[in-house]
């Protein structure tokens, strides 16, 4: 039996709890949250028997093997390090930390502890993405030369997920004072991983432009100054020489939560889409290149991040994306901010 502790009991924590509950030989044994109302409501909903308002109290109890850290971005660092020091396996929500320095410290601590460590980059659960990465690695499209990727949301223009003007769960994402890195940190980290993972290469050079739009009188609602970026565009050169563009926005009307990626190589191209919760993969390879014909490829089913995390614990192996990957992504995000404040100049990793 793998015993899991969930730290942070907000909305995303329910997905973690439900995923573990669906697995044989896994039990969520406790929740941790300083917000007593959220904690006890969460525990009651999922039949969890132990509750702690502090990380150290849970560590002193110690009756668990692994941790899912679902706290807000800004506290990942200080809530994760004590668990690593205690020798616990950790799955941490993205982004790994609020800055590269903290993320690098977490990666080093995880390596020193020798525990399974994983960043929950949700879209590694997309079958089409995983299959595209395998095809690129196998040389199916030759050497990657160019790519374009986008992550488009529209919750600032329509209330499918609720009214951001009145609900704290959305308002905090618009405020740097409440730990948000804006669209760059919230979804930019996803599409950056999505594109570079599939392309099989890390970032070598980046330039970026971030934009915050006026959304309320005095750019403030209640205690929330609305100063976090709403849209971003990046230009990247990868270590393998490929160049490409990535963009993301919360103002993409008509797109609830859609990701797309196109990869072009010397022997063909791939198109990966995750739209309306449907994963699709298309290729233009070999003879199809003569006519520009694209062929649908049915992607194979894959295990979720949660399942791979638990399996790695059982197998006593490491799993990707690990904290080192999370730190590498955070370095790019930090340089994106630097680029934006420096007139969108190139930043070299």
């Amino acid at each position: 039996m793998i015993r899991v502790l969930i730290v942070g009991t907000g909305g995303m924590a329910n997905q973690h709890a439900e995923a573990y509950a669906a697995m044989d030989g896994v039990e969520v044994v406790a929740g941790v949250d300083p917000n007593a109302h959220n904690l006890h409501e969460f525990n009651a909903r999922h039949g969890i028997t132990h509750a702690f308002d502090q990380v150290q109290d849970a560590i002193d109890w110690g009756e668990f093997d692994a941790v899912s850290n679902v706290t807000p971005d800004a506290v990942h660092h200080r809530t994760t390090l004590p668990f690593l020091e205690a020798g616990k396996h950790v799955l941490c929500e993205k982004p790994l930390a609020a800055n590269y320095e903290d993320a690098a410290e977490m990666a080093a601590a995880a390596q020193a502890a020798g525990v399974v460590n994983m960043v929950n980059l949700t879209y590694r659960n997309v079958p089409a993405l995983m299959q595209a990465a395998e095809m690129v690695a196998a040389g199916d499209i030759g050497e990657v030369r160019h790519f374009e990727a986008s992550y488009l949301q529209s919750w600032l223009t329509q209330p499918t997920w609720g009214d951001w003007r009145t609900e704290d769960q959305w308002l905090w994402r618009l405020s740097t004072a409440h730990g948000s890195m804006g669209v760059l940190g919230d979804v930019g980290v996803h599409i950056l991983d999505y594109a570079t993972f599939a392309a099989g290469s890390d970032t070598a050079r980046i330039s970026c432009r971030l934009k915050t739009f006026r959304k309320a009188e005095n750019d403030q609602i209640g205690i929330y100054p609305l100063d976090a970026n709403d849209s971003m565009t990046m230009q990247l050169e990868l270590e393998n020489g490929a160049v490409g563009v990535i963009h993301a926005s919360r103002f993409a009307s008509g797109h609830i939560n859609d990701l797309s990626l196109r990869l072009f190589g010397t022997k063909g191209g791939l198109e990966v889409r995750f739209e309306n919760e449907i994963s699709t993969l298309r290729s233009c390879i070999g003879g199809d290149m003569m006519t520009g014909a694209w062929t649908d490829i049915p992607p194979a089913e894959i295990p979720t991040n949660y399942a791979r995390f638990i399996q790695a614990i059982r197998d006593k192996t490491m799993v990707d994306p690990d904290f080192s990957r999370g730190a590498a992504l955070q370095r790019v995000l930090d340089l994106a901010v630097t680029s934006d404040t420096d007139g969108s100049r190139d930043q070299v990793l």
Side-chain angles (χ1 to χ4, degrees):
M1 179 66 69
I2 304 295
R3 303 164 300 171
V4 179
L5 177 85
I6 295 182
V7 186
T9 58
M12 188 65 183
N14 293 295
Q15 187 176 115
H16 286 240
E18 290 164 5
Y20 293 127
M23 298 180 202
D24 293 333
V26 180
E27 181 182 5
V28 178
V29 294
V32 181
D33 199 315
N35 185 316
H37 173 76
N38 286 359
L39 174 60
H40 293 297
E41 184 180 80
F42 175 78
N43 276 14
R45 183 182 305 121
H46 299 288
I48 301 169
T49 55
H50 290 80
F52 303 94
D53 61 6
Q54 299 295 326
V55 164
Q56 190 57 52
D57 291 340
I59 291 173
D60 290 343
W61 174 61
E63 299 297 318
F64 59 99
D65 308 296
V67 176
S68 263
N69 190 337
V70 205
T71 58
D73 303 350
V75 298
H76 288 173
H77 174 257
R78 69 172 182 262
T79 53
T80 295
L81 287 178
F83 290 114
L84 297 176
E85 292 169 4
K88 304 298 184 181
H89 309 289
V90 180
L91 171 66
C92 184
E93 272 300 324
K94 60 75 202 169
L96 183 58
N99 57 67
Y100 173 66
E101 183 179 5
D102 285 352
E105 183 180 3
M106 293 166 70
Q111 184 175 15
V115 297
V116 175
N117 57 98
M118 188 178 190
V119 183
N120 192 29
L121 290 160
T122 313
Y123 298 101
R124 294 291 187 99
N125 295 325
V126 173
L129 176 68
M130 302 303 284
Q131 189 156 338
E134 290 179 2
M135 293 177 69
V136 170
D140 289 1
I141 66 168
E143 297 180 31
V144 180
R145 295 293 193 231
H146 188 87
F147 63 94
E148 59 182 35
S150 65
Y151 191 152
L152 304 177
Q153 294 182 333
S154 57
W155 57 267
L156 287 175
T157 65
Q158 50 72 31
T160 295
W161 295 339
D163 185 359
W164 62 268
R165 296 172 181 81
T166 59
E167 298 180 15
D168 289 358
Q169 64 170 325
W170 303 114
L171 276 167
W172 82 266
R173 296 178 185 275
L174 306 176
S175 176
T176 60
H178 291 80
S180 177
M181 290 181 64
V183 75
L184 176 68
D186 190 16
V187 305
V189 66
H190 279 308
I191 198 62
L192 177 64
D193 178 67
Y194 203 84
T196 57
F197 168 65
S201 184
D202 288 333
T203 305
R205 184 187 299 264
I206 180 178
S207 63
C208 181
R209 177 160 292 175
L210 305 173
K211 180 70 174 182
T212 305
F213 296 97
R214 186 178 181 86
K215 296 178 288 296
E217 186 176 355
N218 299 319
D219 295 316
Q220 178 125 2
I221 295 178
I223 63 172
Y224 298 95
L226 308 183
D227 60 346
N229 55 84
D230 302 308
S231 289
M232 72 89 173
T233 62
M234 287 186 194
Q235 292 192 91
L236 297 94
E237 180 177 344
L238 305 185
E239 291 177 354
N240 64 7
V243 296
V245 293
I246 292 176
H247 66 101
S249 181
R250 291 168 172 156
F251 275 100
S253 300
H255 293 274
I256 305 299
N257 189 63
D258 295 340
L259 292 84
S260 68
L261 167 66
R262 297 204 292 174
L263 294 161
F264 306 105
T266 54
K267 295 181 180 180
L270 293 173
E271 183 179 84
V272 184
R273 292 189 179 275
F274 185 70
E275 298 179 338
N276 298 317
E277 301 297 318
I278 298 172
S279 164
T280 59
L281 175 62
R282 299 197 306 158
S283 71
C284 181
I285 298 172
D288 283 347
M289 294 171 63
M290 297 298 294
T291 59
W294 288 80
T295 301
D296 291 331
I297 301 175
E301 290 190 14
I302 58 170
T304 66
N305 287 347
Y306 307 105
R308 293 193 298 119
F309 175 59
I310 294 298
Q311 194 60 49
I313 295 171
R314 290 186 170 130
D315 293 343
K316 298 181 180 179
T317 60
M318 295 305 169
V319 65
D320 186 59
D322 61 9
F323 280 16
S324 292
R325 172 65 172 174
L329 293 170
Q330 190 60 50
R331 186 181 182 202
V332 178
L333 297 185
D334 284 7
L335 289 176
V337 175
T338 300
S339 173
D340 178 65
T341 56
D342 190 27
S344 299
R345 297 179 191 274
D346 271 8
Q347 305 296 315
V348 180
L349 278 79

